Amino acid sequence: MGKLRSAAFIVTSGSVIFASHAVLSGNEKFYKHFIMPCFRLVDAETSHVLGVKAMSFGMVPLNNYIDPPSLTTTVWGKTFSNPIGTAAGFDKHAEAMVSLHNIGFSFVEVGSVTPLPQDGNSKPRVFRLTEDDAVINRYGFNSVGHTVVAERMKNYRAKPGKQNIVGINLGKNKTSDSAIQDYVLGVERLGDLADYLVVNVSSPNTPGLRDLQGKEKLQELIVNVLKARDSLPRKPPVLIKIAPDLTSKDKHDIADVILDPKSRIDGLIVSNTTITRPSHLKSTLKNEAGGLSGKPVRELSTDAIREMYKLTDGKLPIIGVGGVSSGRDAYDKIKAGASLVQLYTAMAFLGPPLITTIKKELEKILREDGFNNVSEAVGLDHR
Ligand SMILES: Cc1cc2nc3c(=O)[nH]c(=O)nc-3n(C[C@H](O)[C@H](O)[C@H](O)COP(=O)(O)O)c2cc1C
């Protein structure tokens, strides 16, 4: 019995040592086949909250990968050590910026943040469509509000050492009387703390929000947001985040507005989640209400990037997002016209080691295609 116990102890300790090593070293297979399935033992929202909490305490795998010069790129006068960032929605409340940078993202988009704290929709409100590599969410802007995020961002900015790039994504309160006022407040309160600001008019879970993408409303909104931005000392770039479900006319209208000198913004994020449900979805959860993200939105979003790049003559930097889970997916978005790329859903399935894998793959593809730098491939589909 004693021998058995010792053997069990040795085996268990061995496994723990192996596991700890694999976790710490960011072993990709170990994350894919062991760590991430453990997270899936709990519901999608709990595992998200646990993941962000772990990151807020700095619990992330070691990452020794040094971004190669071919991935370094400059957008809005800011140098990004690689073009891959965390999409909005993962770090809604500005808790995990340091860890997200440590696992290899060159930039993090905090939010969406609403002026006042609000709970969002009732639970359950996030669903994993595992068979489809997808998620449906109807969070409805659960947010700690401007004041808390501003405080966290101030603490983050006050930390000594290298400041990484953090954008802030702005939303509106569900019961607010004025969407414009909510976004303007976001600019005033958070603008000086952000490397860029995003006006999110494309989340499908706040009634009426996506109507702000219509021509007149969008122009009025942008004019007011830019006025507020221009009165800030640091004047961060302002981006608009759009849906993948827009008609061709919607996209033409948006291009007209954002190229108009009165309402000329600094960039676009393409795209948010889709309210469509492609016929090939297999999961029984496919008819849950909300925005669909991950693999099924990949081509929709890449096509929208290609169209918006064309309509804007490549004059406005685009952040491409939707279904990216490999270096090839990131490259496709870059060729369609994205200067930078973001992801969320694939990381929820594959864990932090995915970021290094994507960067390695992208570096290899660029080399094979004869590019010295990722910026040379931006908009390649249009040449
Ligand atoms: C659970 C969840 C929450 C999200 N919350 C936000 C949000 O608050 N604001 C926003 O602009 N986008 C939000 N998004 C959309 C993502 O930023 C991204 O545009 C979309 O998921 C497509 O990228 P992906 O396929 O890599 O996830 C959310 C996505 C998910 C999956």
Coordinates of all heavy atoms in Angstrom, one line a residue, residues 87-89 92 111-112 126 135 137 139 141 169 200 203 241 271-273 293-294 297 321-324 343-345, ligand 1:
A87 N -9.7 41.9 -29.6 CA -11.0 42.6 -30.0 C -11.7 43.0 -28.8 O -11.6 42.4 -27.7 CB -11.8 41.7 -30.9
A88 N -12.6 44.0 -29.0 CA -13.4 44.5 -27.9 C -14.3 43.4 -27.4 O -14.7 42.5 -28.1 CB -14.3 45.6 -28.3
G89 N -14.7 43.4 -26.1 CA -15.6 42.4 -25.5 C -14.8 41.5 -24.6 O -15.4 40.9 -23.7
K92 N -13.7 43.9 -21.3 CA -14.7 44.9 -21.3 C -14.4 46.0 -20.2 O -14.7 47.2 -20.4 CB -16.1 44.3 -21.0 CG -16.8 43.7 -22.2 CD -18.1 43.2 -21.8 CE -18.8 42.4 -22.9 NZ -19.5 43.2 -23.8
G111 N -13.4 47.5 -23.5 CA -14.8 47.9 -23.7 C -15.6 46.8 -24.4 O -15.1 45.7 -24.5
S112 N -16.8 47.1 -24.8 CA -17.4 48.5 -24.8 C -17.8 48.9 -23.4 O -18.2 48.2 -22.6 CB -18.7 48.5 -25.6 OG -18.5 48.1 -27.0
V126 N -24.4 34.1 -23.2 CA -23.2 33.7 -24.1 C -23.3 32.2 -24.3 O -23.5 31.4 -23.4 CB -21.8 34.0 -23.4 CG1 -20.8 34.0 -24.5 CG2 -21.8 35.3 -22.7
V135 N -19.3 31.5 -31.4 CA -20.0 31.9 -30.1 C -21.1 32.8 -30.5 O -21.1 33.5 -31.5 CB -19.0 32.7 -29.2 CG1 -19.7 33.5 -28.2 CG2 -17.9 31.8 -28.6
N137 N -23.3 35.8 -28.6 CA -23.5 36.5 -27.3 C -24.6 37.6 -27.5 O -24.8 38.1 -28.5 CB -22.1 37.1 -26.9 CG -21.9 38.5 -27.4 OD1 -22.4 39.5 -26.8 ND2 -21.2 38.7 -28.5
Y139 N -24.7 39.9 -24.6 CA -24.4 40.5 -23.4 C -25.2 41.8 -23.2 O -25.7 42.1 -22.1 CB -22.9 40.9 -23.3 CG -22.0 39.9 -22.7 CD1 -21.1 39.2 -23.4 CD2 -22.1 39.6 -21.3 CE1 -20.2 38.3 -22.9 CE2 -21.3 38.7 -20.7 CZ -20.3 38.0 -21.5 OH -19.5 37.1 -20.9
F141 N -24.0 45.0 -23.6 CA -23.2 46.0 -22.9 C -23.2 46.0 -21.4 O -23.6 47.0 -20.7 CB -23.6 47.4 -23.4 CG -23.2 47.8 -24.8 CD1 -23.8 48.9 -25.4 CD2 -22.2 47.1 -25.5 CE1 -23.4 49.2 -26.7 CE2 -21.9 47.4 -26.8 CZ -22.5 48.5 -27.4
N169 N -13.2 51.3 -26.5 CA -14.4 51.1 -27.3 C -15.6 51.7 -26.5 O -15.9 51.2 -25.4 CB -14.6 49.6 -27.6 CG -15.8 49.3 -28.5 OD1 -16.9 49.7 -28.2 ND2 -15.6 48.5 -29.5
N200 N -18.7 52.5 -31.2 CA -19.3 51.2 -31.5 C -20.8 51.4 -31.9 O -21.6 51.5 -31.0 CB -19.1 50.2 -30.4 CG -19.8 48.9 -30.6 OD1 -20.2 48.6 -31.8 ND2 -20.0 48.1 -29.6
S203 N -23.1 46.8 -32.3 CA -23.4 45.7 -31.5 C -24.9 45.4 -31.7 O -25.7 46.3 -31.7 CB -23.1 45.9 -30.0 OG -21.8 45.8 -29.8
K241 N -16.8 51.4 -35.5 CA -16.9 49.9 -35.7 C -18.2 49.5 -36.4 O -19.3 49.9 -35.8 CB -16.7 49.2 -34.4 CG -16.7 47.7 -34.5 CD -16.2 47.0 -33.2 CE -16.2 45.5 -33.4 NZ -15.7 44.8 -32.2
S271 N -15.2 43.7 -38.6 CA -16.5 44.0 -38.3 C -16.9 43.5 -36.9 O -16.1 42.7 -36.3 CB -17.5 43.3 -39.3 OG -17.5 41.9 -39.0
N272 N -18.1 43.8 -36.5 CA -18.7 43.3 -35.3 C -19.3 41.9 -35.6 O -19.0 41.3 -36.6 CB -19.8 44.2 -34.8 CG -19.8 44.3 -33.3 OD1 -19.8 43.2 -32.6 ND2 -19.8 45.5 -32.7
T273 N -20.0 41.3 -34.6 CA -20.7 40.0 -34.8 C -21.8 40.2 -35.8 O -22.3 41.2 -36.1 CB -21.2 39.5 -33.5 OG1 -22.1 40.6 -33.0 CG2 -20.1 39.3 -32.5
S293 N -20.1 35.1 -33.7 CA -18.7 35.4 -34.0 C -17.9 34.1 -34.2 O -18.5 33.0 -34.1 CB -18.1 36.1 -32.7 OG -18.2 35.3 -31.6
G294 N -16.7 34.3 -34.6 CA -15.8 33.1 -34.9 C -15.9 32.7 -36.3 O -16.2 33.6 -37.2
V297 N -18.2 33.9 -39.3 CA -18.3 35.4 -39.6 C -17.0 35.8 -40.5 O -16.9 36.9 -41.0 CB -18.4 36.3 -38.4 CG1 -17.2 36.5 -37.7 CG2 -19.1 37.6 -38.7
V321 N -11.5 42.3 -38.3 CA -11.8 41.4 -37.2 C -13.0 40.5 -37.6 O -13.9 41.0 -38.2 CB -12.0 42.2 -35.8 CG1 -13.0 43.3 -36.0 CG2 -12.5 41.2 -34.7
G322 N -12.9 39.3 -37.2 CA -14.0 38.3 -37.5 C -13.5 37.0 -37.9 O -13.0 36.8 -39.0
G323 N -13.5 36.0 -37.0 CA -13.1 34.6 -37.4 C -11.7 34.4 -37.6 O -11.3 33.3 -38.2
V324 N -10.8 35.2 -37.1 CA -9.4 34.9 -37.3 C -8.9 33.9 -36.3 O -9.0 34.0 -35.1 CB -8.5 36.2 -37.1 CG1 -7.0 35.9 -37.1 CG2 -8.9 37.2 -38.2
L343 N -8.8 39.7 -32.8 CA -9.5 38.4 -32.6 C -10.0 38.3 -31.2 O -9.4 38.9 -30.3 CB -8.7 37.2 -33.0 CG -7.4 36.9 -32.2 CD1 -7.6 35.7 -31.3 CD2 -6.3 36.7 -33.2
Y344 N -11.0 37.5 -31.0 CA -11.6 37.2 -29.7 C -11.9 35.7 -29.7 O -11.4 34.9 -28.9 CB -12.8 38.1 -29.4 CG -13.5 37.8 -28.1 CD1 -14.4 38.8 -27.7 CD2 -13.2 36.7 -27.3 CE1 -15.1 38.6 -26.4 CE2 -13.9 36.5 -26.1 CZ -14.8 37.5 -25.7 OH -15.5 37.3 -24.5
T345 N -13.0 35.3 -30.5 CA -13.5 33.9 -30.3 C -12.5 32.8 -30.4 O -12.6 31.9 -29.6 CB -14.7 33.7 -31.4 OG1 -15.6 34.8 -31.2 CG2 -15.4 32.4 -31.2
Ligands
LIG1 C1 -18.6 37.4 -26.0 C2 -18.4 38.6 -26.9 C3 -18.5 39.9 -26.4 C4 -18.3 41.0 -27.3 N1 -18.5 42.2 -26.8 C5 -18.2 43.3 -27.7 C6 -18.3 44.6 -27.2 O1 -18.6 44.9 -26.0 N2 -18.0 45.6 -28.1 C7 -17.7 45.4 -29.4 O2 -17.5 46.4 -30.1 N3 -17.6 44.1 -29.8 C8 -17.8 43.1 -29.0 N4 -17.7 41.8 -29.5 C9 -17.3 41.6 -30.9 C10 -15.8 41.3 -31.1 O3 -15.1 42.5 -30.8 C11 -15.6 41.0 -32.6 O4 -15.9 42.1 -33.4 C12 -16.3 39.8 -33.1 O5 -16.5 38.8 -32.1 C13 -15.7 39.1 -34.3 O6 -14.4 38.7 -34.0 P1 -14.0 37.1 -33.5 O7 -14.7 36.3 -34.5 O8 -12.6 37.0 -33.6 O9 -14.6 37.0 -32.2 C14 -17.9 40.7 -28.6 C15 -17.7 39.4 -29.1 C16 -17.9 38.4 -28.2 C17 -17.7 36.9 -28.7

